[in-house]
Amino acid sequence: MATKAVYISDVPNLDQVPETAASFSLYATRLPISVDVSKSVDNSPKFTVIGHRGHGMNILHSTDRRMKAFKENSILSFNNAANHPIDYIEFDVQVTKDDVAIIFHDDFILSQEHGSVVEKRVTDLTMKEFFAYGPQREVSMEGKALARKVNGTVVGWQVESDDHSCTLQEAFEKVNTRLGFNIELKFDDHRVYEQDHLIHALQVVLKVVSEHANDRPIIFSSFQPDAALLMKKLQQTYPVYFLTNGGTEVYEDVRRNSLDEARKLAVEGGLDGIVSEVKGIFGNPSAAREIKEANLGLLTYGKLNNIPETVHVQQLMGVDGVIVDLVEEIARAVEETKKTKGYGNGEVKSEETEKGLIELSFLLNLISKG
């Protein structure tokens, strides 16, 4: 069945992507300025698709049911992501007060109790206290009702298929072994951490990984520059990537404020790659090229990665992989383009390649709408 191409201008909200978005029927014929695909369409390495927080992050205010299908960062979400042709799942790891590596994204956990909202820092809780929130392992038990802040408003954390929270060890034990783990080392953006604190937290995570990873592929990543650098010093077995907004936001730590700074940090610190907000890559294609020329891996994240056309542009740019929320749709689209375009097997047809190139106007429109 033929599917219809979707332009960014046709999508009113980037957290609500039409079902027809899983298409690679691209209309344009010319390549954007500054994008060199001479090294990416022929004999290219495998393009990696990574499920964001498993089967996708939860956007609780979205009208798109796919954004609330499975509880993010749960065993249920991880294993449902494994039903699709993806390579890794990405999830966030924090360390509790009693030194347990747990999986949860937000710095603070919210609950609605007796008509009021109670907010606590995740890392100030013990494992037992953390697991008291949300669905419980024992059906007869009832946990504290989870909530989340959405644009300043507290809303109930309601999803179609809920699940209890989990530890990093449980993920190793219960998630489909064919999936690699992209473990984001989560720290509060607004806190200054002493080196001893960072090392201790990282060692807690490393202990679990060393005891349970076996042959599972692992990538470490972090927005915290010092955490990324320390993780690379503490171990050499697994690659470490620096996470950056790519200049789309400004922080006091200048290392976080641009792709150029990210590349400098990665090169000087011996890191293996960079994970950038996709808008940073589209807004500065030359920086993306310089990252690749520095022999660094390059992955991206962001809502624009839920649009197949933007993923295709990144394949042409030489990006190594994408972190996505619409796991099923994007994984299927990437598989389709492998079959129709021949990427990765050295059989790209010139006429198919020409059809796959995107007009500069499309790319500029994409950036402006992002």
Side-chain angles (χ1 to χ4, degrees), residues 228-229 232-233 264-271:
L229 295 173
K232 192 60 182 178
K233 291 180 179 179
K264 180 180 177 181
L265 177 81
V267 171
E268 293 180 353
L271 303 183

Side-chain angles (χ1 to χ4, degrees), residues 120-274:
K120 294 185 178 180
R121 183 178 291 277
V122 172
T123 53
D124 287 344
L125 302 174
T126 64
M127 181 188 72
K128 183 177 180 180
E129 290 170 337
F130 171 71
F131 282 140
Y133 292 83
Q136 299 295 289
R137 287 167 168 73
E138 297 182 21
V139 179
S140 60
M141 301 290 289
E142 184 175 347
K144 298 178 182 179
L146 270 177
R148 194 176 222 174
K149 282 186 179 178
V150 177
N151 298 327
T153 302
V154 176
V155 299
W157 202 320
Q158 303 296 325
V159 294
E160 292 188 6
S161 297
D162 213 340
D163 195 17
H164 57 73
S165 298
C166 64
T167 65
L168 177 59
Q169 179 175 332
E170 286 179 304
F172 279 115
E173 294 172 344
K174 298 179 181 180
V175 174
N176 191 312
T177 56
R178 80 164 188 81
L179 284 181
F181 286 175
N182 174 190
I183 300 174
E184 180 183 338
L185 307 165
K186 183 77 175 178
F187 297 94
D188 190 336
D189 288 339
H190 306 290
R191 267 193 167 185
V192 176
Y193 292 93
E194 296 293 332
Q195 179 172 287
D196 288 347
H197 177 91
L198 293 174
I199 290 175
H200 179 77
L202 297 178
Q203 287 176 330
V204 170
V205 174
L206 276 175
K207 185 176 187 296
V208 177
V209 173
S210 65
E211 294 176 354
H212 299 280
N214 297 319
D215 296 326
R216 192 189 295 269
I218 303 293
I219 298 173
F220 289 115
S221 63
S222 185
F223 281 105
Q224 221 292 341
D226 295 317
L229 295 173
L230 286 168
M231 180 56 88
K232 192 60 182 178
K233 291 180 179 179
L234 289 172
Q235 60 82 45
Q236 296 293 318
T237 304
Y238 304 108
V240 180
Y241 281 51
F242 178 50
L243 269 160
T244 175
N245 288 309
T248 60
E249 296 181 43
V250 177
Y251 297 87
E252 289 187 10
D253 190 333
V254 296
R255 296 174 295 178
R256 301 188 58 182
N257 288 340
S258 71
L259 284 172
D260 289 335
E261 287 290 340
R263 175 177 52 81
K264 180 180 177 181
L265 177 81
V267 171
E268 293 180 353
L271 303 183
D272 301 278
I274 292 169

Side-chain angles (χ1 to χ4, degrees), residues 19-168:
E19 295 286 350
T20 54
S23 165
F24 272 171
S25 302
L26 304 177
Y27 298 143
T29 58
R30 288 185 296 156
L31 189 67
I33 293 173
S34 299
V35 179
D36 177 9
V37 299
S38 61
K39 297 181 181 179
S40 62
V41 296
D42 234 349
N43 298 314
S44 61
K46 178 178 174 61
F47 187 75
T48 302
V49 179
I50 303 171
H52 188 207
R53 306 181 199 174
H55 200 273
M57 70 179 290
N58 294 150
I59 301 181
L60 300 178
H61 61 289
S62 174
T63 57
D64 190 333
R65 294 178 60 185
R66 292 172 295 176
M67 308 310 294
K68 296 176 285 188
F70 303 101
K71 178 68 168 295
E72 69 175 39
N73 279 336
S74 68
I75 301 296
L76 177 66
S77 181
F78 299 156
N79 281 325
N80 272 278
N83 293 330
H84 308 291
I86 65 172
D87 308 286
Y88 286 78
I89 51 173
E90 179 272 352
F91 52 76
D92 312 272
V93 172
Q94 303 186 56
V95 175
T96 63
K97 186 178 180 179
D98 53 345
D99 291 341
V100 178
I102 53 94
I103 299 177
F104 193 75
H105 174 269
D106 300 357
D107 296 318
F108 292 88
I109 193 166
L110 280 66
S111 63
Q112 295 176 316
E113 303 172 24
H114 309 297
S116 62
V117 176
V118 179
E119 180 179 71
K120 294 185 178 180
R121 183 178 291 277
V122 172
T123 53
D124 287 344
L125 302 174
T126 64
M127 181 188 72
K128 183 177 180 180
E129 290 170 337
F130 171 71
F131 282 140
Y133 292 83
Q136 299 295 289
R137 287 167 168 73
E138 297 182 21
V139 179
S140 60
M141 301 290 289
E142 184 175 347
K144 298 178 182 179
L146 270 177
R148 194 176 222 174
K149 282 186 179 178
V150 177
N151 298 327
T153 302
V154 176
V155 299
W157 202 320
Q158 303 296 325
V159 294
E160 292 188 6
S161 297
D162 213 340
D163 195 17
H164 57 73
S165 298
C166 64
T167 65
L168 177 59

Side-chain angles (χ1 to χ4, degrees), residues 262-320:
R263 175 177 52 81
K264 180 180 177 181
L265 177 81
V267 171
E268 293 180 353
L271 303 183
D272 301 278
I274 292 169
V275 186
S276 173
E277 219 292 345
V278 61
K279 288 185 286 186
I281 296 296
F282 285 148
N284 192 356
S286 62
R289 183 171 61 248
E290 290 168 359
I291 289 170
K292 298 301 297 178
E293 290 173 349
N295 293 318
L296 295 170
L298 179 57
L299 305 173
T300 68
Y301 72 93
K303 292 178 182 178
L304 287 176
N305 280 352
N306 292 331
I307 309 290
E309 283 75 6
T310 70
V311 173
H312 185 53
V313 169
Q314 292 175 75
Q315 287 180 281
L316 298 175
M317 293 174 72
V319 172
D320 298 304

